[in-house]
Amino acid sequence: MDIDARTLRTFREVTLTGSFTQAARRLGYSQSSVTAQMRALERQVGEPVFERLPNGVRLTDSGTVLRDYARQILTLVGEMETALRRPAANPPRLTVGIVPALAYGQQLARVTHIGRRLLSGVQLALRVMGTSEVHDAFRSGAIDGALVLTVVDAEDPTALLADQPHPERADDLTEVRLQEVEFVPVTSIGHRRGHGRQVVIADPDCPSQRWLPEFLRLRSDTAPEIHELGSMAGVRAATQSGLGCAMLPMALAASPQEADGLRPLPGVPRMRWNASLLLGRHDTRPALDRQNLTETLRQATALACAVHPGDQGRPAAVDVLGGDAAVLGPDPSIAS
């Protein structure tokens, strides 16, 4: 096979978006050009790599194999381009803002480790900032990208409880949705009554943190007392100490090392939000940097959402993630 890097990059965009049309839009190509490239690719492979669907495409078994190798090849090509074009002694800086709900220790470590591999030759700097600070940081040039949470879609129940952040995003920023992230409502094991009257949050403008107080307010017609601590580590510690309840990312709530002493909040469902990368619409940074940053954050959030077999069966994980947590009946102490 003689598949060029341009074709592999187009193939990668199609696999990420699930659509020839969206891939063409992101790459700045015409749809006919993307279609022609993918047909030529399938001729070289000798069999289809995509299954055509009414609303897009999905990978065949051969396409899945090709995707994994394409990812490795493009990483090496990116490293080669970086080594040839940039002096190693003075690497360019890429600053990314991350909202507190996605900035707990394990997640920051994942982004850093994956970024070292995919962003070779680039100094990656992570800045934790509130959702309301992201736009000002873009306008001042303080950040090159931001990892935020957005609602899943217009029909999502969270849209009824909290307005979608960044209403001006369509004008100056572009959003790349990376991964749905599940959040779990939790409270302290030793805090049996009244746990719905106090809520601990990390970021008042983040949809994942706004949802629980509003859900409890609508349920009991009384606004709960809110404690804002600014970090997920602080939220977790305060909830463990019995201060109230909180909405934690599943990866944090399921960690036996970090979530000991927590249990599901009865009668309150788990929820999902999109982890999304925001980028400046008119950013002049090379496309390779943007693609590798997107892939870095996509892999990091995907790992955060994965179930690790080694965590199953441990008491703390079972306490937090009990199978009946999402279907427990209403708690009288919340409604009273």
Side-chain angles (χ1 to χ4, degrees):
M1 297 181 189
D2 186 18
I3 305 173
D4 58 62
R6 176 174 177 266
T7 299
L8 288 179
R9 285 181 177 134
T10 302
F11 170 74
R12 178 173 65 179
E13 287 301 319
V14 175
T15 64
L16 293 177
T17 62
S19 165
F20 286 4
T21 302
Q22 291 186 40
R25 187 179 300 117
R26 287 173 59 170
L27 292 168
Y29 298 158
S30 66
Q31 183 178 347
S32 60
S33 174
V34 171
T35 301
Q37 288 185 60
M38 294 303 95
R39 285 177 178 169
L41 175 63
E42 289 181 321
R43 285 196 298 271
Q44 289 183 295
V45 172
E47 57 185 294
V49 297
F50 292 112
E51 180 182 351
R52 273 66 173 177
L53 303 173
N55 58 347
V57 296
R58 66 184 175 195
L59 291 171
T60 62
D61 290 343
S62 295
T64 300
V65 173
L66 179 61
R67 178 196 61 190
D68 295 338
Y69 280 103
R71 185 177 295 161
Q72 298 178 51
I73 292 169
L74 290 175
T75 297
L76 289 174
V77 170
E79 292 175 358
M80 178 187 68
E81 291 176 342
T82 298
L84 291 174
R85 292 178 182 176
R86 296 169 177 163
N90 188 26
R93 187 184 185 88
L94 187 60
T95 304
V96 179
I98 302 183
V99 295
L102 295 172
Y104 52 93
Q106 292 177 345
Q107 180 65 359
L108 292 176
R110 292 185 190 99
V111 174
T112 301
H113 285 301
I114 297 173
R116 289 181 63 188
R117 175 168 53 87
L118 296 183
L119 290 162
S120 176
V122 176
Q123 182 183 352
L124 179 62
L126 304 180
R127 297 287 181 267
V128 180
M129 59 181 58
T131 302
S132 63
E133 301 175 279
V134 168
H135 281 266
D136 289 340
F138 269 112
R139 281 191 285 269
S140 67
I143 58 174
D144 302 294
L147 181 61
V148 302
L149 285 169
T150 60
V151 295
V152 173
D153 54 48
E155 287 71 40
D156 191 288
T158 59
L160 303 176
L161 301 177
D163 296 331
Q164 195 167 166
H166 316 310
E168 69 273 30
R169 181 171 56 239
D171 296 331
D172 57 353
L173 299 177
T174 182
E175 175 186 343
V176 182
R177 295 190 170 186
L178 306 174
Q179 175 80 32
E180 288 187 13
V181 181
E182 186 170 13
F183 280 71
V184 186
V186 296
T187 189
S188 169
I189 287 177
H191 200 64
R192 293 294 174 180
R193 294 189 61 82
H195 47 237
R197 298 189 181 121
Q198 298 186 80
V199 182
V200 190
I201 66 172
D203 178 1
D205 298 298
C206 179
S208 75
Q209 302 299 286
R210 294 164 64 182
W211 185 87
L212 183 57
E214 187 65 8
F215 177 90
L216 296 174
R217 184 188 70 80
L218 293 174
R219 182 168 175 169
S220 65
D221 292 326
T222 302
E225 182 181 355
I226 296 176
H227 305 279
E228 183 182 341
L229 299 184
S231 74
M232 295 311 291
V235 168
R236 184 194 66 241
T239 306
Q240 287 170 322
S241 71
L243 182 58
C245 58
M247 208 73 170
L248 294 183
M250 173 69 82
L252 192 58
S255 168
Q257 293 80 14
E258 299 192 54
D260 185 36
L262 295 176
R263 65 186 179 94
L265 183 61
V268 182
R270 301 173 185 176
M271 299 299 294
R272 286 178 175 269
W273 285 272
N274 280 315
S276 297
L277 170 63
L278 298 185
L279 294 167
R281 190 173 294 278
H282 305 295
D283 186 6
T284 59
R285 183 173 294 277
L288 180 64
D289 285 350
R290 294 195 298 273
Q291 291 171 0
N292 286 342
L293 175 60
T294 300
E295 188 62 19
T296 293
L297 297 178
R298 190 187 305 278
Q299 289 188 27
T301 51
L303 284 173
C305 295
V307 175
H308 302 288
D311 289 343
Q312 294 179 348
R314 298 181 185 178
V318 174
D319 284 339
V320 173
L321 303 178
D324 296 332
V327 295
L328 290 175
D331 187 341
S333 66
I334 295 178
S336 59

